[in-house]
Amino acid sequence: TVRLWNVETGKVIKTLATFPAAVYGLDFSSDGKQIAIAGADNTVRILNVNDGQTIREFDGPEHAVYTVAFSPDGSRIAAAGMGVGSERQVYLWSRDSSQPTAILQGHDDDIYRTEFNSSGKRLMTIGYSGSLRIWDTESGKQLFEQNSGIVSYSGSFSPDASKIVITSNDRTARLITLPASAR
């Protein structure tokens, strides 16, 4: 179930939707009018925040989706999650089409985090076993790879996209400086 809460009162403002399986990830569009949802039912959806209606459901994923992200301008969506064997896929869509515009491959671990940098030209993906990838969103080319070997759950770009912070299960946050070619 997706609910919006008033953080001051602790009360539910609105219930947007209830799905047949767990919701693993979500992200607001930069204007706050839409929310992207990633689910255990292999789906990625965009909902209208005002009325909770599904605007679009995206095609592609065949396994649970853990993470979803809007690009800064709201024109693209990235999502990823589980896979089988040695390949996990990262899906990119135009917000206006249900068909993927690109499918990025390179992770061999389940992907827990996707995030666009502030320009929308780079996409960060973080895998369960500590694999970090930076992708060029236009070409789909992988620009940077680092493997920490430690279970990692999340990460975020610095505002200038020169660094990434990653959180791990060893109770640490790692600050990684990206080479100029991956910024």
Side-chain angles (χ1 to χ4, degrees), residues 4-5 9-10 13 41 48 55 62-63 70 72-73 76 78 101 104 125-126 130 146 148 156 159 162 166-167 171:
L4 298 179
W5 298 79
T9 66
I13 298 168
D41 60 352
N48 180 310
I55 295 170
E62 297 178 6
H63 305 283
F70 272 103
D73 68 1
R76 291 178 289 169
T101 58
L104 311 177
T125 57
I126 296 174
Q146 181 172 315
S148 67
S156 190
S162 67
I166 296 176
T167 61
R171 296 185 277 175

Side-chain angles (χ1 to χ4, degrees), residues 123-136:
L123 178 71
M124 169 189 63
T125 57
I126 296 174
Y128 176 77
S129 66
S131 62
L132 165 67
R133 307 280 189 276
I134 304 295
W135 309 86
D136 179 289

Side-chain angles (χ1 to χ4, degrees), residues 14-36:
K14 185 185 301 184
T15 298
L16 293 179
T18 299
F19 297 105
V23 172
Y24 287 139
L26 50 84
D27 191 31
F28 276 100
S29 60
S30 59
D31 64 7
K33 294 180 181 180
Q34 298 175 347
I35 190 168

Side-chain angles (χ1 to χ4, degrees), residues 107 122-125 131-136 141-147 157 162 164 166 176-183:
H107 277 276
R122 302 290 184 255
L123 178 71
M124 169 189 63
T125 57
S131 62
L132 165 67
R133 307 280 189 276
I134 304 295
W135 309 86
D136 179 289
K141 181 181 174 185
Q142 183 177 297
L143 302 175
F144 179 78
E145 175 182 352
Q146 181 172 315
N147 292 300
F157 278 102
S162 67
I164 290 180
I166 296 176
I176 298 163
T177 300
L178 295 176
S181 61
R183 295 181 188 170

Side-chain angles (χ1 to χ4, degrees), residues 88-151:
R88 286 6 184 224
Q89 297 177 323
V90 179
Y91 295 88
L92 294 174
W93 295 273
S94 164
R95 182 189 59 204
D96 300 324
S97 174
S98 61
Q99 297 301 312
T101 58
I103 299 174
L104 311 177
Q105 297 186 4
H107 277 276
D108 59 4
D109 53 349
D110 291 345
I111 302 164
Y112 279 11
R113 177 77 171 148
T114 55
E115 182 181 295
F116 288 92
N117 73 355
S118 59
S119 72
K121 294 180 180 180
R122 302 290 184 255
L123 178 71
M124 169 189 63
T125 57
I126 296 174
Y128 176 77
S129 66
S131 62
L132 165 67
R133 307 280 189 276
I134 304 295
W135 309 86
D136 179 289
T137 59
E138 297 302 318
S139 69
K141 181 181 174 185
Q142 183 177 297
L143 302 175
F144 179 78
E145 175 182 352
Q146 181 172 315
N147 292 300
S148 67
I150 297 169
V151 174

Side-chain angles (χ1 to χ4, degrees), residues 34-35 45-47 53-56 58 70 77 95:
Q34 298 175 347
I35 190 168
R45 296 176 176 94
I46 297 178
L47 304 179
Q53 294 297 308
T54 298
I55 295 170
R56 180 159 328 303
F58 296 96
F70 272 103
I77 305 288
R95 182 189 59 204

